[in-house]
Amino acid sequence: SFRDKLSKLIEETELNAVVIDIKDYTGTISFETGDSEIDALNKNGVGCKVSDMKDFVESLHDKNIYVIGRVTVFQDPLYAKTHPELAVKRKSDGGVWKDRKGISFIDVGAKPFWDHIISIATSSYAIGFDEINFDYIRFPSDGNMKDILFSHTGATAKKEMLRQFFAYLDSKFAGTGIVTSADLFG
């Protein structure tokens, strides 16, 4: 019924783009990517999943709709649960740190995670998304900030670590045709 409402809205208005969550705040990927590592991890995801994402994207293209896929990057409880060694830590006891809502983050400096994000983006582009939008490309900002430890970022300045992440994305997407965008958190 949601798709029917969306189609009607597209037909009756000037809408020409749609943003679809590829990876939501829980870390769940909304469709099977064909990447065995991502799909195995995603079996434990609790967020929304779409069984026919490729067909859905094609149906939007048939209506001349530009399809943007949103990837929540460093806010990722699912990956933190599976790879706690890459998560933001509590300084007090080394456990996985969580914000006020109980959501865990991956340390921006955890470079093995960067390739996970690259894989999600390339898999999404391969099924037809026109653009990959990266969100939550940031360090946590709420919760007990006095008990937080970025063991992978270490002494590197936050802005420098973010610069390195963006440079890595740029180097991996160069020449691929993948269009990217980023949401910025003020």
Side-chain angles (χ1 to χ4, degrees), residues 9-178:
L9 191 62
I10 288 168
E11 290 166 7
E12 295 176 354
T13 67
E14 308 81 31
L15 287 180
N16 64 1
V18 172
V19 179
I20 299 171
D21 270 351
I22 292 172
K23 178 174 163 292
D24 67 13
Y25 77 96
T26 69
T28 302
I29 310 301
S30 61
F31 62 96
E32 283 197 24
T33 65
D35 180 301
S36 59
E37 189 174 317
I38 294 170
D39 293 341
L41 172 69
N42 202 42
K43 288 188 188 321
N44 299 320
V46 296
C48 182
K49 296 183 184 175
V50 179
S51 61
D52 64 341
M53 185 65 80
K54 183 175 176 149
D55 293 338
F56 181 47
V57 169
E58 286 175 8
S59 74
L60 291 169
H61 284 156
D62 290 343
K63 293 174 173 51
N64 294 317
I65 299 297
Y66 186 78
V67 185
I68 303 163
R70 176 179 173 262
V71 176
T72 300
V73 180
F74 293 108
Q75 184 184 54
D76 194 329
L78 180 60
Y79 203 86
K81 185 176 181 182
T82 308
H83 296 282
E85 73 281 4
L86 302 179
V88 173
K89 303 281 196 267
R90 287 188 305 266
K91 193 184 304 182
S92 60
D93 63 6
V96 174
W97 180 90
K98 295 182 180 180
D99 69 9
R100 280 194 278 268
K101 295 177 184 172
I103 298 173
S104 50
F105 282 68
I106 299 298
D107 189 329
V108 173
K111 293 180 181 177
F113 182 71
W114 297 4
D115 288 321
H116 176 68
I117 296 302
I118 298 291
S119 294
I120 292 168
T122 55
S123 297
S124 301
Y125 183 73
I127 71 151
F129 282 90
D130 298 303
E131 178 178 321
I132 308 301
N133 172 260
F134 296 104
D135 196 1
Y136 281 84
I137 308 175
R138 64 177 180 85
F139 288 82
S141 61
D142 68 314
N144 186 353
M145 302 305 287
K146 292 180 180 173
D147 191 27
I148 198 165
L149 174 68
F150 303 106
S151 57
H152 291 275
T153 296
T156 305
K158 289 179 180 179
K159 69 180 183 178
E160 172 56 22
M161 189 54 68
L162 287 167
R163 188 203 63 75
Q164 288 178 27
F165 175 72
F166 280 113
Y168 188 75
L169 285 181
D170 188 54
S171 72
K172 293 297 182 179
F173 294 142
T176 65
I178 298 175

